[in-house]
Amino acid sequence: MQTYLVGGAVRDFLLNLPVKDKDWVIVGGNPEQLIEMGYQQVGADFPVFLHPNTKEEYALARTERKSGHGYTGFDVVFDDTVSLEDDLLRRDLTINAIAMDENGKLIDPFQGQRDIADRKLRHVSDAFREDPLRVLRIARFSARFCHLGFTIADETEQLLREMVNSGELEHLVAERVWSETSRALSSPSPSEYFRVLKRIGALNIIFPELDALFGVPQPFRWHPEIDTGIHTLKALDIARQLTDDVDVLMATLCHDLGKGLTPEDILPSHHGHEGAGADLIKRIAKKHKWPVKTATLCEHVARFHTHCHNIFALKASSVVKLLNNLNGFRQPERIAQFAIACQADAQGRSGLERTPYPQAAFLARCLEQCQGVSAQAFVEQGFEGKAIGDAMHQQRVGLIKQLQKSAH
């Protein structure tokens, strides 16, 4: 048996990036041998083994042949006749198809080192087209590495378009789409993921509600960039500068989805887009199986982001109601998440990227003041039932009024 370090670990080593997870491939071995050596087998589709000491993943060299639709429609062959080059040939990109032996020697049959030097994302072979999930993976790698100067090779981008046109993306399951998208969101340049999907015609399949925003105008007075899709991606990149919280990033991406539903006869105005977007998110999240906490924050940001923008003009009772609607008294961390998404929306406009957003700090102070209101104090005064909640509300309103006065 021979063991090689493969995939992202080798790529990131050559890019002088931190190596987080190490994947290994074993050539000339079989499951029985590894189990005897104390490896733990995991994975149902093909044998992957955890090293008895390091717990790193070791996979037997394998080949794959397309046998159905989607990313699961493959026949997998793994035995001691499969060579290292056979295994590397089935990988997606040349930069991910480099192996390193136990002495540090690189095995690079598909010129991955050249493409690292040239900053190119290039598919290894025509077998790339057999897995539609790779369309999303390439878009995600673009988001991850475009700040280093990586671009998609022309022939690979053409292949991506052909895969989109073939209809194979229709067979992707919701969980895998969410997995790739959520990882792309926390990349250094998350907007690039959606730009690539838009450019190759895949965004209309993967996220048609987002695709619908491109070309939709907004009032120049508030949005110098005019196009809602452009604004959305600018806001997303601003949010990424502020946080790597996937829930916040997704909420920022979805905050204006309601503008894609605006009747043409009232454009560029978007009256009522907040509620329309929040209701749309409920349907999307259910269909695409988004995590519940992600969907909830997305819905809240869509429905209430303009409340945050206008918080200095709101009545004190409306501010308390907003904190309640956001479930801020039970989940105070939600207020911070909400505020970041609102700030990204405000700053995700051409020429306004560095405009201060004092609303975020003020909202945090409002929550802090209101959190000091205790039900116990009113119980001790003899209040019961609904009267306790009413009294707490009134005390909170009074505290917010004091904050508003000091803010002016």
Side-chain angles (χ1 to χ4, degrees):
M1 290 193 301
Q2 291 177 291
T3 302
Y4 300 89
L5 184 65
V6 292
V10 180
R11 176 201 66 224
D12 290 348
F13 169 76
L14 294 173
L15 284 168
N16 293 315
L17 296 174
V19 175
K20 296 179 180 178
D21 298 314
K22 292 183 178 180
D23 293 317
W24 305 83
V25 66
I26 296 172
V27 178
N30 60 60
E32 292 74 22
Q33 288 175 294
L34 293 176
I35 290 171
E36 284 181 13
M37 294 166 64
Y39 285 75
Q40 178 186 354
Q41 183 172 339
V42 295
D45 297 329
F46 51 83
V48 174
F49 299 83
L50 299 182
H51 190 281
N53 298 322
T54 67
K55 303 304 178 184
E56 292 173 343
E57 289 191 358
Y58 286 68
L60 293 173
R62 67 183 189 270
T63 60
E64 297 169 346
R65 188 181 76 247
K66 187 74 169 173
S67 60
H69 291 297
Y71 74 96
T72 58
F74 290 91
D75 291 328
V76 180
V77 175
F78 50 89
D79 57 39
D80 54 16
T81 67
V82 179
S83 70
L84 176 63
E85 187 166 327
D86 291 335
D87 184 89
L88 296 176
L89 179 64
R90 69 174 177 78
R91 296 175 182 268
D92 50 8
L93 296 175
T94 60
I95 65 171
N96 296 331
I98 309 169
M100 181 186 291
D101 70 12
E102 293 166 332
N103 298 314
K105 178 186 175 183
L106 295 172
I107 298 90
D108 182 17
F110 306 109
Q111 307 304 311
Q113 293 174 87
R114 180 197 63 192
D115 284 336
I116 286 176
D118 293 342
R119 298 300 197 249
K120 286 295 179 185
L121 301 175
R122 189 189 315 275
H123 63 287
V124 173
S125 73
D126 199 55
F128 180 98
R129 69 170 68 243
E130 296 178 349
D131 184 356
L133 191 67
R134 287 177 168 178
V135 173
L136 304 190
R137 281 175 57 82
I138 299 301
R140 175 166 63 80
F141 279 122
S142 291
R144 182 174 176 184
F145 292 128
C146 77
H147 73 291
L148 299 178
F150 275 85
T151 58
I152 300 173
D154 291 343
E155 63 270 29
T156 300
E157 186 151 322
Q158 179 57 36
L159 178 58
L160 293 173
R161 288 193 173 94
E162 292 172 8
M163 293 172 69
V164 171
N165 292 335
S166 74
E168 272 285 304
L169 267 64
E170 306 285 355
H171 299 285
L172 290 175
V173 298
E175 291 86 353
R176 298 308 294 268
V177 173
W178 171 254
S179 175
E180 291 297 324
T181 301
S182 61
R183 293 174 72 183
L185 285 170
S186 56
S187 298
S189 307
S191 65
E192 188 65 15
Y193 175 77
F194 300 100
R195 285 196 190 90
V196 169
L197 295 180
K198 174 71 175 170
R199 194 167 69 232
I200 63 176
L203 190 59
N204 187 45
I205 299 169
I206 299 300
F207 203 159
E209 299 84 1
L210 177 63
D211 188 61
L213 299 184
F214 290 89
V216 174
Q218 304 169 102
F220 177 80
R221 177 186 176 190
W222 306 114
H223 287 278
E225 71 286 344
I226 298 177
D227 188 291
T228 306
I230 291 172
H231 158 64
T232 297
L233 295 189
K234 283 178 67 68
L236 176 61
D237 283 340
I238 293 288
R240 183 61 186 87
Q241 294 170 23
L242 299 170
T243 184
D244 61 359
D245 185 329
V246 168
D247 291 348
V248 175
L249 295 166
M250 193 65 177
T252 304
L253 185 72
C254 295
H255 79 277
D256 268 349
L257 287 185
K259 291 182 177 179
L261 303 174
T262 301
E264 286 190 16
D265 61 334
I266 70 168
L267 292 173
S269 172
H270 291 280
H271 179 71
H273 77 278
E274 301 92 343
D279 293 342
L280 177 61
I281 287 167
K282 279 186 177 180
R283 299 193 294 272
I284 298 170
K286 183 177 181 180
K287 177 181 178 182
H288 295 290
K289 301 180 181 179
W290 293 356
V292 172
K293 64 186 182 71
T294 307
T296 301
L297 184 64
C298 288
E299 184 189 338
H300 282 165
V301 170
R303 194 178 300 279
F304 299 117
H305 62 278
T306 52
H307 287 62
C308 191
H309 298 336
N310 300 318
I311 194 166
F312 295 117
L314 292 182
K315 294 179 180 178
S317 58
S318 297
V319 175
V320 176
K321 185 177 179 181
L322 174 63
L323 293 171
N324 265 315
N325 285 332
L326 298 174
N327 203 27
F329 302 126
R330 290 188 178 89
Q331 296 178 293
E333 70 280 1
R334 282 305 217 190
I335 302 301
Q337 291 177 306
F338 172 78
I340 292 172
C342 293
Q343 177 177 339
D345 172 32
Q347 295 177 335
R349 299 179 290 166
S350 296
L352 301 170
E353 294 86 353
R354 298 189 182 278
T355 303
Y357 193 72
Q359 292 93 326
F362 183 73
L363 183 64
R365 287 201 301 275
C366 290
L367 174 66
E368 184 179 7
Q369 286 291 311
C370 290
Q371 282 178 311
V373 177
S374 165
Q376 185 61 34
F378 294 105
V379 171
E380 291 172 356
Q381 294 176 45
F383 287 77
E384 296 180 352
K386 183 177 180 294
I388 297 173
D390 291 343
M392 291 176 68
H393 175 78
Q394 289 305 319
Q395 185 175 350
R396 285 167 173 162
V397 169
L399 292 169
I400 300 300
K401 284 181 178 178
Q402 292 176 21
L403 277 180
Q404 289 175 328
K405 287 179 181 177
S406 62
H408 292 301

